[in-house]
Amino acid sequence: MQANKIRCVLRGFPMMTNKKIAVVLYRYPLSISTMIIAAIALLSQHNKVDVFLDDKQRLTFKCDPWLQALIVPGTKNPFAIFLRKATNKLRILFFSAFGRFYSFSWESINFDLVRFSKALRGQFSKNQYDIVIAIEAKGLIAVDRAEVFKGDLIYFDMELLDWSPKHWAHMDKVELKKRQFAALQKVNHVMITSPKRAEIFAQMNKFNPERISVLPVVPLKRKVLQRSRYFRDKFKIPEHQVIVLYAGNFSAWAQCLEIIESMDNWPKEAVLVMHTGYGKQVKNLDYFKAMEKKASGRQVYFSLEPMLYQDITEAMTSADIGLAFYENLDANFYEICFSSNKMAEYLASGLSVITSPFEGLKEFVEGHGIGRSVDCADIGKAVQDIIQKERVYRENVKKCVEKFFIFEDYFSKAWLRYEKYAGLSQTSPH
């Protein structure tokens, strides 16, 4: 019996079986979230898993078929969906117009989250889940507001939320933080992406470190058998040109404009492909229009079609180098090693990487010889270096992935830690 248990752990399977588990996400992109998809894949092998998404995510972004089958369906009435969207837009316009003159409650501004939590309440009343996994702060707040839940609550903290008053992503950050902190008092266990982030999270939230597991953003073990021609065929890029890929959000914090500007110092044979999974809706963003303008006269190709997660590897293996840059705003960005979807997918696809020169990131990337960590202005020099030593870098990437970027190697340890401390009282000091 003990031998079987050990084998189960080494193979990366969860120790628990036959549990009913709910995974809750609110405005968080499940379809391209490496670690969350990997966790659901392993949990669903031995347990009944239901996935709850808000309407915007559920209706806009499609997941791989096996994952789509786990998503609990919401309303399919076209008129109800239209009416809800129209109501949301009117509310947003109203708060935008009058928010500077009047003080509105957090609940009235976050009306869609409140509605989502009510829907959860109905589902939780009908289905007694053994475990609920809440993803990110708003997912946790939605579960907390749903109230009728008696099992264990596990929180996946994907983006550190601190107490500072300003933040590019949250106009109501302080109020959001207060509600996250209150909801954490009911959490049995936290999964977070790195030891350093675990330390910061415990201090910031006065949370018991024993009830935190490290679960990095890395994919399930995969075999990269051969390089594809996906981007070469899509954009008719000749073989002699080196494809440098940026995949992710088109946002100021990702330094997309700075990346494009750096091309003036790139080797002539290098071209830039910029891919986002958010579809052609990004064309309406002012930031994307600025990117297009900056790209004029440079060899930049924009890829705007959403992909299923199962197709990401094929696309990425057609590139040569992956870019992962972040504005140095707070710990959520400078502690990005093992917390970056794009970096994990680049490496798992066999690509060398060029990243921001944050201390921990630089130490890992250059210490293992898998790429360079430089300022945006020096990307061209880094590209040239990787081109000249391509074979060495690719071999280093392969070794690094085998050692650090296989999700199964972390999953069992994280889950066993949860099981070890699951008996701790929810009211015990954090």
mmCIF file of all heavy atoms in Angstrom, residues 165-199:
data_model
loop_
_atom_site.group_PDB
_atom_site.id
_atom_site.type_symbol
_atom_site.label_atom_id
_atom_site.label_comp_id
_atom_site.label_asym_id
_atom_site.label_seq_id
_atom_site.Cartn_x
_atom_site.Cartn_y
_atom_site.Cartn_z
ATOM 1 N N PRO A 165 -2.082 52.063 -2.884
ATOM 2 C CA PRO A 165 -3.346 52.622 -3.380
ATOM 3 C C PRO A 165 -3.494 52.660 -4.889
ATOM 4 O O PRO A 165 -4.597 52.743 -5.396
ATOM 5 C CB PRO A 165 -3.343 54.051 -2.821
ATOM 6 C CG PRO A 165 -1.891 54.369 -2.626
ATOM 7 C CD PRO A 165 -1.232 53.080 -2.249
ATOM 8 N N LYS A 166 -2.378 52.629 -5.642
ATOM 9 C CA LYS A 166 -2.474 52.780 -7.091
ATOM 10 C C LYS A 166 -2.054 51.504 -7.804
ATOM 11 O O LYS A 166 -1.122 50.819 -7.395
ATOM 12 C CB LYS A 166 -1.600 53.934 -7.567
ATOM 13 C CG LYS A 166 -2.051 55.295 -7.052
ATOM 14 C CD LYS A 166 -1.143 56.394 -7.577
ATOM 15 C CE LYS A 166 -1.596 57.750 -7.070
ATOM 16 N NZ LYS A 166 -0.709 58.833 -7.567
ATOM 17 N N HIS A 167 -2.736 51.220 -8.887
ATOM 18 C CA HIS A 167 -2.393 50.047 -9.689
ATOM 19 C C HIS A 167 -3.030 50.175 -11.054
ATOM 20 O O HIS A 167 -4.187 50.598 -11.172
ATOM 21 C CB HIS A 167 -2.884 48.773 -8.995
ATOM 22 C CG HIS A 167 -2.225 47.523 -9.511
ATOM 23 N ND1 HIS A 167 -2.644 46.869 -10.635
ATOM 24 C CD2 HIS A 167 -1.163 46.812 -9.055
ATOM 25 C CE1 HIS A 167 -1.892 45.801 -10.842
ATOM 26 N NE2 HIS A 167 -0.988 45.750 -9.898
ATOM 27 N N TRP A 168 -2.275 49.822 -12.099
ATOM 28 C CA TRP A 168 -2.788 49.966 -13.467
ATOM 29 C C TRP A 168 -3.998 49.078 -13.735
ATOM 30 O O TRP A 168 -4.861 49.404 -14.541
ATOM 31 C CB TRP A 168 -1.686 49.630 -14.473
ATOM 32 C CG TRP A 168 -1.156 48.249 -14.320
ATOM 33 C CD1 TRP A 168 -0.084 47.854 -13.580
ATOM 34 C CD2 TRP A 168 -1.690 47.047 -14.888
ATOM 35 N NE1 TRP A 168 0.087 46.496 -13.636
ATOM 36 C CE2 TRP A 168 -0.887 45.971 -14.443
ATOM 37 C CE3 TRP A 168 -2.770 46.771 -15.730
ATOM 38 C CZ2 TRP A 168 -1.127 44.662 -14.799
ATOM 39 C CZ3 TRP A 168 -3.010 45.459 -16.092
ATOM 40 C CH2 TRP A 168 -2.187 44.429 -15.627
ATOM 41 N N ALA A 169 -4.092 47.923 -13.067
ATOM 42 C CA ALA A 169 -5.148 46.957 -13.399
ATOM 43 C C ALA A 169 -6.414 47.143 -12.576
ATOM 44 O O ALA A 169 -7.472 46.668 -12.961
ATOM 45 C CB ALA A 169 -4.628 45.533 -13.198
ATOM 46 N N HIS A 170 -6.316 47.811 -11.430
ATOM 47 C CA HIS A 170 -7.466 47.906 -10.530
ATOM 48 C C HIS A 170 -7.701 49.358 -10.131
ATOM 49 O O HIS A 170 -6.951 49.916 -9.334
ATOM 50 C CB HIS A 170 -7.246 47.059 -9.277
ATOM 51 C CG HIS A 170 -6.885 45.639 -9.565
ATOM 52 N ND1 HIS A 170 -7.745 44.767 -10.195
ATOM 53 C CD2 HIS A 170 -5.748 44.931 -9.322
ATOM 54 C CE1 HIS A 170 -7.154 43.587 -10.319
ATOM 55 N NE2 HIS A 170 -5.957 43.668 -9.799
ATOM 56 N N MET A 171 -8.770 49.959 -10.648
ATOM 57 C CA MET A 171 -9.107 51.317 -10.271
ATOM 58 C C MET A 171 -9.541 51.378 -8.805
ATOM 59 O O MET A 171 -9.412 52.396 -8.148
ATOM 60 C CB MET A 171 -10.224 51.848 -11.169
ATOM 61 C CG MET A 171 -9.854 51.888 -12.648
ATOM 62 S SD MET A 171 -8.390 52.898 -12.983
ATOM 63 C CE MET A 171 -9.030 54.515 -12.582
ATOM 64 N N ASP A 172 -10.082 50.268 -8.315
ATOM 65 C CA ASP A 172 -10.578 50.210 -6.938
ATOM 66 C C ASP A 172 -9.710 49.281 -6.108
ATOM 67 O O ASP A 172 -10.201 48.455 -5.339
ATOM 68 C CB ASP A 172 -12.029 49.732 -6.929
ATOM 69 C CG ASP A 172 -12.209 48.386 -7.638
ATOM 70 O OD1 ASP A 172 -11.246 47.922 -8.285
ATOM 71 O OD2 ASP A 172 -13.293 47.799 -7.531
ATOM 72 N N LYS A 173 -8.400 49.409 -6.238
ATOM 73 C CA LYS A 173 -7.488 48.425 -5.668
ATOM 74 C C LYS A 173 -7.600 48.277 -4.158
ATOM 75 O O LYS A 173 -7.578 47.164 -3.629
ATOM 76 C CB LYS A 173 -6.041 48.780 -6.047
ATOM 77 C CG LYS A 173 -5.049 47.708 -5.614
ATOM 78 C CD LYS A 173 -3.635 48.091 -5.950
ATOM 79 C CE LYS A 173 -2.682 47.033 -5.434
ATOM 80 N NZ LYS A 173 -1.288 47.424 -5.603
ATOM 81 N N VAL A 174 -7.690 49.391 -3.436
ATOM 82 C CA VAL A 174 -7.745 49.313 -1.973
ATOM 83 C C VAL A 174 -8.983 48.552 -1.524
ATOM 84 O O VAL A 174 -8.913 47.674 -0.648
ATOM 85 C CB VAL A 174 -7.717 50.722 -1.350
ATOM 86 C CG1 VAL A 174 -7.937 50.642 0.158
ATOM 87 C CG2 VAL A 174 -6.387 51.404 -1.639
ATOM 88 N N GLU A 175 -10.129 48.863 -2.122
ATOM 89 C CA GLU A 175 -11.360 48.152 -1.762
ATOM 90 C C GLU A 175 -11.267 46.677 -2.127
ATOM 91 O O GLU A 175 -11.750 45.809 -1.397
ATOM 92 C CB GLU A 175 -12.560 48.798 -2.456
ATOM 93 C CG GLU A 175 -12.927 50.167 -1.927
ATOM 94 C CD GLU A 175 -13.280 50.118 -0.444
ATOM 95 O OE1 GLU A 175 -14.007 49.195 -0.039
ATOM 96 O OE2 GLU A 175 -12.822 51.000 0.305
ATOM 97 N N LEU A 176 -10.668 46.397 -3.289
ATOM 98 C CA LEU A 176 -10.488 45.008 -3.705
ATOM 99 C C LEU A 176 -9.604 44.268 -2.708
ATOM 100 O O LEU A 176 -9.901 43.133 -2.322
ATOM 101 C CB LEU A 176 -9.866 44.955 -5.101
ATOM 102 C CG LEU A 176 -9.652 43.556 -5.686
ATOM 103 C CD1 LEU A 176 -10.983 42.879 -5.951
ATOM 104 C CD2 LEU A 176 -8.827 43.630 -6.972
ATOM 105 N N LYS A 177 -8.527 44.916 -2.262
ATOM 106 C CA LYS A 177 -7.610 44.286 -1.315
ATOM 107 C C LYS A 177 -8.295 44.007 0.021
ATOM 108 O O LYS A 177 -8.101 42.947 0.618
ATOM 109 C CB LYS A 177 -6.381 45.180 -1.104
ATOM 110 C CG LYS A 177 -5.335 44.568 -0.167
ATOM 111 C CD LYS A 177 -4.825 43.248 -0.713
ATOM 112 C CE LYS A 177 -3.888 42.550 0.269
ATOM 113 N NZ LYS A 177 -3.420 41.242 -0.236
ATOM 114 N N LYS A 178 -9.109 44.945 0.489
ATOM 115 C CA LYS A 178 -9.825 44.733 1.748
ATOM 116 C C LYS A 178 -10.710 43.497 1.668
ATOM 117 O O LYS A 178 -10.766 42.691 2.600
ATOM 118 C CB LYS A 178 -10.683 45.958 2.068
ATOM 119 C CG LYS A 178 -9.902 47.191 2.502
ATOM 120 C CD LYS A 178 -10.850 48.359 2.745
ATOM 121 C CE LYS A 178 -10.102 49.619 3.149
ATOM 122 N NZ LYS A 178 -11.027 50.775 3.314
ATOM 123 N N ARG A 179 -11.396 43.345 0.551
ATOM 124 C CA ARG A 179 -12.296 42.202 0.402
ATOM 125 C C ARG A 179 -11.529 40.895 0.216
ATOM 126 O O ARG A 179 -11.946 39.852 0.698
ATOM 127 C CB ARG A 179 -13.255 42.459 -0.765
ATOM 128 C CG ARG A 179 -14.349 43.439 -0.385
ATOM 129 C CD ARG A 179 -15.041 44.061 -1.582
ATOM 130 N NE ARG A 179 -16.155 44.904 -1.153
ATOM 131 C CZ ARG A 179 -16.025 46.106 -0.613
ATOM 132 N NH1 ARG A 179 -14.811 46.634 -0.463
ATOM 133 N NH2 ARG A 179 -17.092 46.799 -0.226
ATOM 134 N N GLN A 180 -10.408 40.954 -0.499
ATOM 135 C CA GLN A 180 -9.578 39.764 -0.612
ATOM 136 C C GLN A 180 -9.067 39.339 0.764
ATOM 137 O O GLN A 180 -9.112 38.156 1.118
ATOM 138 C CB GLN A 180 -8.383 40.025 -1.535
ATOM 139 C CG GLN A 180 -7.493 38.801 -1.732
ATOM 140 C CD GLN A 180 -6.045 39.164 -2.027
ATOM 141 O OE1 GLN A 180 -5.496 40.104 -1.433
ATOM 142 N NE2 GLN A 180 -5.419 38.429 -2.923
ATOM 143 N N PHE A 181 -8.577 40.290 1.545
ATOM 144 C CA PHE A 181 -8.031 40.001 2.873
ATOM 145 C C PHE A 181 -9.098 39.383 3.774
ATOM 146 O O PHE A 181 -8.830 38.406 4.495
ATOM 147 C CB PHE A 181 -7.480 41.277 3.504
ATOM 148 C CG PHE A 181 -6.815 41.052 4.833
ATOM 149 C CD1 PHE A 181 -5.530 40.542 4.909
ATOM 150 C CD2 PHE A 181 -7.485 41.344 6.012
ATOM 151 C CE1 PHE A 181 -4.917 40.323 6.130
ATOM 152 C CE2 PHE A 181 -6.882 41.140 7.242
ATOM 153 C CZ PHE A 181 -5.589 40.627 7.301
ATOM 154 N N ALA A 182 -10.308 39.917 3.738
ATOM 155 C CA ALA A 182 -11.389 39.367 4.551
ATOM 156 C C ALA A 182 -11.731 37.943 4.126
ATOM 157 O O ALA A 182 -11.939 37.056 4.972
ATOM 158 C CB ALA A 182 -12.629 40.266 4.446
ATOM 159 N N ALA A 183 -11.771 37.712 2.817
ATOM 160 C CA ALA A 183 -12.102 36.381 2.311
ATOM 161 C C ALA A 183 -11.014 35.364 2.645
ATOM 162 O O ALA A 183 -11.297 34.171 2.822
ATOM 163 C CB ALA A 183 -12.338 36.441 0.806
ATOM 164 N N LEU A 184 -9.768 35.813 2.737
ATOM 165 C CA LEU A 184 -8.663 34.904 3.056
ATOM 166 C C LEU A 184 -8.810 34.272 4.434
ATOM 167 O O LEU A 184 -8.221 33.226 4.701
ATOM 168 C CB LEU A 184 -7.325 35.646 2.967
ATOM 169 C CG LEU A 184 -6.780 35.891 1.560
ATOM 170 C CD1 LEU A 184 -5.591 36.832 1.602
ATOM 171 C CD2 LEU A 184 -6.391 34.567 0.896
ATOM 172 N N GLN A 185 -9.596 34.886 5.319
ATOM 173 C CA GLN A 185 -9.791 34.326 6.650
ATOM 174 C C GLN A 185 -10.535 32.992 6.598
ATOM 175 O O GLN A 185 -10.495 32.219 7.554
ATOM 176 C CB GLN A 185 -10.541 35.319 7.541
ATOM 177 C CG GLN A 185 -9.977 36.745 7.542
ATOM 178 C CD GLN A 185 -8.479 36.799 7.733
ATOM 179 O OE1 GLN A 185 -7.943 36.248 8.682
ATOM 180 N NE2 GLN A 185 -7.790 37.467 6.806
ATOM 181 N N LYS A 186 -11.202 32.731 5.492
ATOM 182 C CA LYS A 186 -11.950 31.478 5.335
ATOM 183 C C LYS A 186 -11.209 30.453 4.482
ATOM 184 O O LYS A 186 -11.716 29.365 4.228
ATOM 185 C CB LYS A 186 -13.312 31.774 4.701
ATOM 186 C CG LYS A 186 -14.166 32.732 5.509
ATOM 187 C CD LYS A 186 -15.459 33.037 4.788
ATOM 188 C CE LYS A 186 -16.280 34.082 5.538
ATOM 189 N NZ LYS A 186 -17.534 34.429 4.808
ATOM 190 N N VAL A 187 -10.012 30.809 4.025
ATOM 191 C CA VAL A 187 -9.250 29.932 3.131
ATOM 192 C C VAL A 187 -8.460 28.902 3.930
ATOM 193 O O VAL A 187 -7.779 29.235 4.899
ATOM 194 C CB VAL A 187 -8.298 30.778 2.250
ATOM 195 C CG1 VAL A 187 -7.281 29.894 1.539
ATOM 196 C CG2 VAL A 187 -9.106 31.600 1.244
ATOM 197 N N ASN A 188 -8.553 27.640 3.497
ATOM 198 C CA ASN A 188 -7.792 26.571 4.148
ATOM 199 C C ASN A 188 -6.353 26.501 3.664
ATOM 200 O O ASN A 188 -5.449 26.178 4.433
ATOM 201 C CB ASN A 188 -8.454 25.213 3.886
ATOM 202 C CG ASN A 188 -9.832 25.130 4.478
ATOM 203 O OD1 ASN A 188 -10.789 25.611 3.871
ATOM 204 N ND2 ASN A 188 -9.956 24.546 5.662
ATOM 205 N N HIS A 189 -6.160 26.794 2.369
ATOM 206 C CA HIS A 189 -4.819 26.633 1.804
ATOM 207 C C HIS A 189 -4.658 27.539 0.597
ATOM 208 O O HIS A 189 -5.637 27.834 -0.104
ATOM 209 C CB HIS A 189 -4.577 25.176 1.396
ATOM 210 C CG HIS A 189 -3.131 24.786 1.402
ATOM 211 N ND1 HIS A 189 -2.445 24.463 2.554
ATOM 212 C CD2 HIS A 189 -2.230 24.665 0.399
ATOM 213 C CE1 HIS A 189 -1.186 24.163 2.257
ATOM 214 N NE2 HIS A 189 -1.033 24.289 0.961
ATOM 215 N N VAL A 190 -3.425 27.974 0.371
ATOM 216 C CA VAL A 190 -3.101 28.839 -0.762
ATOM 217 C C VAL A 190 -2.075 28.150 -1.650
ATOM 218 O O VAL A 190 -1.106 27.570 -1.162
ATOM 219 C CB VAL A 190 -2.541 30.196 -0.277
ATOM 220 C CG1 VAL A 190 -1.976 31.008 -1.452
ATOM 221 C CG2 VAL A 190 -3.621 30.999 0.444
ATOM 222 N N MET A 191 -2.304 28.210 -2.944
ATOM 223 C CA MET A 191 -1.328 27.772 -3.938
ATOM 224 C C MET A 191 -0.762 29.017 -4.610
ATOM 225 O O MET A 191 -1.527 29.860 -5.104
ATOM 226 C CB MET A 191 -1.975 26.871 -4.998
ATOM 227 C CG MET A 191 -2.637 25.620 -4.452
ATOM 228 S SD MET A 191 -1.432 24.383 -3.951
ATOM 229 C CE MET A 191 -2.539 23.057 -3.382
ATOM 230 N N ILE A 192 0.567 29.145 -4.631
ATOM 231 C CA ILE A 192 1.201 30.328 -5.205
ATOM 232 C C ILE A 192 2.419 29.899 -6.004
ATOM 233 O O ILE A 192 2.942 28.800 -5.813
ATOM 234 C CB ILE A 192 1.564 31.337 -4.091
ATOM 235 C CG1 ILE A 192 1.729 32.741 -4.648
ATOM 236 C CG2 ILE A 192 2.775 30.875 -3.303
ATOM 237 C CD1 ILE A 192 1.687 33.826 -3.581
ATOM 238 N N THR A 193 2.901 30.759 -6.896
ATOM 239 C CA THR A 193 3.784 30.292 -7.961
ATOM 240 C C THR A 193 5.274 30.202 -7.652
ATOM 241 O O THR A 193 6.016 29.635 -8.450
ATOM 242 C CB THR A 193 3.589 31.181 -9.209
ATOM 243 O OG1 THR A 193 3.810 32.548 -8.846
ATOM 244 C CG2 THR A 193 2.172 31.036 -9.752
ATOM 245 N N SER A 194 5.753 30.756 -6.535
ATOM 246 C CA SER A 194 7.181 30.651 -6.229
ATOM 247 C C SER A 194 7.412 30.816 -4.734
ATOM 248 O O SER A 194 6.576 31.412 -4.038
ATOM 249 C CB SER A 194 7.981 31.724 -6.989
ATOM 250 O OG SER A 194 7.773 33.002 -6.406
ATOM 251 N N PRO A 195 8.534 30.313 -4.218
ATOM 252 C CA PRO A 195 8.827 30.471 -2.787
ATOM 253 C C PRO A 195 8.892 31.928 -2.353
ATOM 254 O O PRO A 195 8.424 32.281 -1.270
ATOM 255 C CB PRO A 195 10.193 29.782 -2.637
ATOM 256 C CG PRO A 195 10.244 28.786 -3.750
ATOM 257 C CD PRO A 195 9.525 29.448 -4.889
ATOM 258 N N LYS A 196 9.479 32.786 -3.192
ATOM 259 C CA LYS A 196 9.576 34.202 -2.834
ATOM 260 C C LYS A 196 8.201 34.834 -2.765
ATOM 261 O O LYS A 196 7.896 35.616 -1.856
ATOM 262 C CB LYS A 196 10.447 34.937 -3.864
ATOM 263 C CG LYS A 196 10.671 36.417 -3.550
ATOM 264 C CD LYS A 196 11.411 36.605 -2.227
ATOM 265 C CE LYS A 196 11.702 38.075 -1.965
ATOM 266 N NZ LYS A 196 12.360 38.274 -0.651
ATOM 267 N N ARG A 197 7.335 34.510 -3.717
ATOM 268 C CA ARG A 197 5.975 35.042 -3.681
ATOM 269 C C ARG A 197 5.224 34.517 -2.457
ATOM 270 O O ARG A 197 4.407 35.229 -1.870
ATOM 271 C CB ARG A 197 5.231 34.667 -4.962
ATOM 272 C CG ARG A 197 5.644 35.499 -6.161
ATOM 273 C CD ARG A 197 4.728 35.244 -7.344
ATOM 274 N NE ARG A 197 5.054 36.155 -8.420
ATOM 275 C CZ ARG A 197 4.174 36.844 -9.135
ATOM 276 N NH1 ARG A 197 2.891 36.732 -8.883
ATOM 277 N NH2 ARG A 197 4.555 37.649 -10.091
ATOM 278 N N ALA A 198 5.477 33.267 -2.080
ATOM 279 C CA ALA A 198 4.837 32.708 -0.885
ATOM 280 C C ALA A 198 5.227 33.507 0.351
ATOM 281 O O ALA A 198 4.395 33.811 1.213
ATOM 282 C CB ALA A 198 5.234 31.245 -0.723
ATOM 283 N N GLU A 199 6.494 33.855 0.428
ATOM 284 C CA GLU A 199 6.988 34.650 1.555
ATOM 285 C C GLU A 199 6.333 36.026 1.588
ATOM 286 O O GLU A 199 5.880 36.501 2.638
ATOM 287 C CB GLU A 199 8.513 34.789 1.438
ATOM 288 C CG GLU A 199 9.172 35.586 2.529
ATOM 289 C CD GLU A 199 10.668 35.750 2.297
ATOM 290 O OE1 GLU A 199 11.279 34.823 1.713
ATOM 291 O OE2 GLU A 199 11.222 36.794 2.677
#
